Amino acid sequence: MTQKDITFVADFLTEHFNEAPELYNRKGKYFNVERVGQYLKDEDDDLVSPPNTEGNQWFNFLKNSTHLKESPLLFPYYPEKSLHFVKRQMEGVIDQCLQKPADVIGKSVHQAVCMSLYKISQSEDSTPRLFKLPFLWNDKASNIHYVLFTILENSISRIYILRRSTDTSRSVSNGILAVEFGNFLNNSISENSDSRCYSCLDAHFYDDETVTVVLKESVEQEGKERVLAQLPLS
């Protein structure tokens, strides 16, 4: 910064940010920041001191562009309005854009199948979060949609795989199965199964034929806390 810049900032602060102790106990403004505050007012009135756009490279570029000047893809600029006004205008345009797809998609969605996964107790307590890490995978080659998830209350060492055909013209049965990890990584039958149980931290499809899981040993030992396993879907 040059000395001229510093002097300019200092003069601005001196002029507009003078303290007013007599106003501290009153509601309202303590400082004169009208040039800044005008942009933040939630009003439809024009700005008191609109910005000077002369020499602005973006405006000059738009003005000289035949295709962009009247383009409906560019949001219009309101140099006389506050940011709140522009925000409301933009929200209105976005809501209008999303309304039609929401109506079309909403009317086209219907329930294809219903499966009961678990039952919760009818207590006064708030319903616990039982559904964890749902991961979706779409096998485009086979037109099969998969959902991976765990149910916390049931067993944290078990993951569920739900299968659903996306091709309504084909007769493919829906399927749901559970994969129990437990102590399947024990080296021998003599090992204590209680100390070598595994729970699932995360599960994703690696590709159309392979599921990747991150397992955690129930009794943590150094170097044996986490296991990354890949399981063939077959």
Side-chain angles (χ1 to χ4, degrees), residues 15 27 30 89 98 109 115 122 124 129 131 134 155 161 171 175 179 184 188 207 218 221-222:
E15 178 183 354
K27 292 182 179 180
Y30 299 154
Q89 294 289 320
L98 297 179
V109 173
M115 293 185 181
Q122 299 296 328
E124 296 181 357
R129 181 172 175 265
F131 205 63
S155 174
I161 304 177
S171 177
V179 180
F184 81 109
S188 70
D207 54 28
S218 57
Q221 302 174 15
E222 187 176 354

Side-chain angles (χ1 to χ4, degrees), residues 4 9 37-38 63 68 80-81 91 101 104 107 120 134 156-157 160 195 206:
K4 184 178 179 181
V9 173
Q38 64 177 351
K63 189 184 301 181
L68 291 179
E80 306 288 333
K81 299 297 183 180
E91 286 175 341
V104 174
K107 293 176 181 177
I120 59 174
I156 57 175
S157 63
Y160 294 85
S195 63
Y206 179 76

Side-chain angles (χ1 to χ4, degrees), residues 13-24:
L13 294 177
T14 303
E15 178 183 354
H16 294 285
F17 289 85
N18 289 324
E19 292 191 19
E22 68 278 3
L23 300 177
Y24 285 172

